[in-house]
Amino acid sequence: MQPSDKALVPFVSVDHMMQLVHRVGLAEMIRRIADAIEEDFRRWESFDKTPRVAAHSLVGVIELMPTANDTLYAFKYVNGHPKNTSEGLQTVTAFGLLADMDTGYPVLLSEMTLLTALRTAAMSAVAAKHLAPKGTTTMAMIGNGAQAEFQSIAMQAICGINTVRLYDKDPAATLKCAANLAGTGLSVVSCKTAEEAIEGAQILTTCTADKQYATILTDNMVGSGVHINAIGGDCPGKTELAAAILHRSSIFVEYPPQTCIEGEIQQLDADHPVTELWQVIAGTAAGRRDAREITLFDSVGFAIEDFSALRVVHDLTLETGLNLPLDLLADPDNPRDLYGMLMRAAG
């Protein structure tokens, strides 16, 4: 049987996503996602919100991240398996869906392995835009895996940095990242230690993958006046910063009920003060208050950011036609006769 138009859902494959990024341009794609995130964060209170649903194992985690407003519903399926790299697999893979709240019908199914990298970078840059010191030029990128180049390009495109200082415990990762960033206009400095990487940097980004309590930044490494994007700690038992750094910092988070379970603040008492980043973006809470303040964005990733990214991709599929119509929904002639549709297919 030939599927009807109602049965077809636009599917954005990995190839489509790469074509979309090259059609728009990487920096512009990140900017569009960042703009959508800011727009959605300003209407934060209109969204249904819940901590993501996680299934943990000894080697990783699989998560479902849902959210909705009055017009659209979105979810993302995503995993995090640090051991995958040694097996030739991605640490993080993902796909997501956007649906119409009025009918419940999906309007987009999309790969989100690439898109998650883009939206994570966009979110980091949005946070730094609002929290980093004025005149920021240099970022330390500690952890040079799959996310590092996207983070660097996002900070260049949105925050205007011109220098990135790289460090990874695996020198091959740093070599890879430095080679990929050649020709971007960024000055790239490869460093042999994390301490060397943070020299002269106003933004410190940590993005490591090990599923364990870790101390990527010790207290004595962090001086006054910097902004920290801590994006690697994203599940219970996985952190990157010494607890003493948190006590010296003004802490900003996405959604406290999720961050207190998964983020750096799992190391703190439940009543430790934090500010929700959406309030800063909406202008209802202060961001950086003075030049010597340490600001910390304790980022674990939240579903509204994926909602924003999926909105951007949906708009681009309408503009470009880059998608595959997928026969995903049953559409019988009589909505009450699903059985009849099945039986007629035998002929």
Side-chain angles (χ1 to χ4, degrees):
M1 295 177 64
Q2 189 68 24
S4 71
D5 290 343
K6 293 178 183 177
L8 300 176
V9 175
F11 169 59
V12 175
S13 67
V14 174
D15 182 59
H16 290 133
M17 187 65 70
M18 292 191 292
Q19 289 186 61
L20 285 172
V21 171
H22 287 295
R23 180 82 62 93
V24 174
L26 176 58
E28 176 61 20
M29 186 76 166
I30 291 172
R31 277 192 287 264
R32 290 193 189 191
I33 294 171
D35 288 346
I37 289 172
E38 291 201 72
E39 180 182 342
D40 288 334
F41 271 40
R42 290 189 189 100
R43 51 180 183 171
W44 181 270
E45 293 173 298
S46 71
F47 283 86
D48 291 334
K49 296 173 286 291
T50 183
R52 54 189 162 209
V53 180
H56 293 276
S57 71
L58 293 176
V59 295
V61 63
I62 296 173
E63 299 167 330
L64 190 66
M65 301 172 63
T67 191
N69 63 11
D70 58 352
T71 58
L72 291 169
Y73 169 91
F75 77 78
K76 182 173 78 173
Y77 166 99
V78 62
N79 77 295
H81 286 69
K83 58 91 178 174
N84 278 6
T85 302
S86 64
E87 300 172 9
L89 302 172
Q90 290 285 302
T91 299
V92 175
T93 66
F95 67 87
L97 181 139
L98 195 64
D100 178 15
M101 284 291 285
D102 185 51
T103 64
Y105 272 46
V107 298
L108 179 72
L109 177 65
S110 179
E111 85 79 37
M112 289 195 74
T113 305
L114 280 165
L115 188 57
T116 293
L118 294 166
R119 80 91 164 122
T120 302
M123 185 70 251
S124 294
V126 166
K129 171 185 171 182
H130 290 274
L131 300 174
K134 292 182 179 179
T136 292
T137 62
T138 304
M139 177 178 73
M141 186 71 234
I142 300 174
N144 301 156
Q147 180 65 218
E149 294 91 341
F150 296 98
Q151 291 283 323
S152 301
I153 296 297
M155 292 297 177
Q156 179 189 35
I158 294 170
C159 300
I161 70 162
N162 56 37
T163 302
V164 60
R165 299 176 64 84
L166 305 177
Y167 169 72
D168 194 288
K169 66 180 183 180
D170 177 6
T174 300
L175 285 171
K176 176 270 304 180
C177 188
N180 284 340
L181 291 174
T184 62
L186 285 167
S187 174
V188 179
V189 181
S190 298
C191 302
K192 294 182 179 180
T193 66
E195 290 85 351
E196 182 186 351
I198 67 176
E199 292 177 7
Q202 298 92 18
I203 298 173
L204 316 181
T205 298
T206 57
C207 186
T208 59
D210 288 345
K211 190 180 179 183
Q212 61 181 354
Y213 291 113
T215 306
I216 307 303
L217 295 182
T218 58
D219 187 35
N220 66 313
M221 292 169 65
V222 179
S224 63
V226 299
H227 171 67
I228 305 169
N229 273 342
I231 63 176
D234 58 3
C235 67
K238 181 184 177 190
T239 59
E240 296 181 310
L241 307 183
I245 297 171
L246 307 184
H247 289 286
R248 297 167 51 213
S249 302
S250 299
I251 302 173
F252 300 82
V253 302
E254 290 139 319
Y255 184 55
Q258 180 174 298
T259 310
C260 70
I261 297 170
E262 302 178 348
E264 297 296 328
I265 62 171
Q266 65 185 278
Q267 303 179 71
L268 302 177
D269 293 337
D271 61 352
H272 190 94
V274 300
T275 301
E276 295 182 52
L277 186 62
W278 75 266
Q279 296 174 312
V280 178
I281 293 171
T284 61
R288 172 173 290 274
R289 293 173 175 85
D290 65 69
R292 293 186 57 80
E293 183 179 16
I294 299 170
T295 53
L296 165 62
F297 179 43
D298 187 5
S299 177
V300 297
F302 190 64
I304 292 175
E305 298 151 30
D306 299 308
F307 179 102
S308 305
L310 286 166
R311 283 203 300 116
V312 170
V313 172
H314 181 246
D315 290 346
L316 284 171
T317 63
L318 297 177
E319 292 175 21
T320 65
L322 284 171
N323 66 86
L324 173 69
L326 197 65
D327 184 9
L328 189 64
L329 306 176
D331 182 40
D333 295 336
N334 179 350
R336 301 175 69 182
D337 191 17
L338 190 62
Y339 179 86
M341 173 186 170
L342 174 62
M343 291 300 105
R344 286 192 293 275

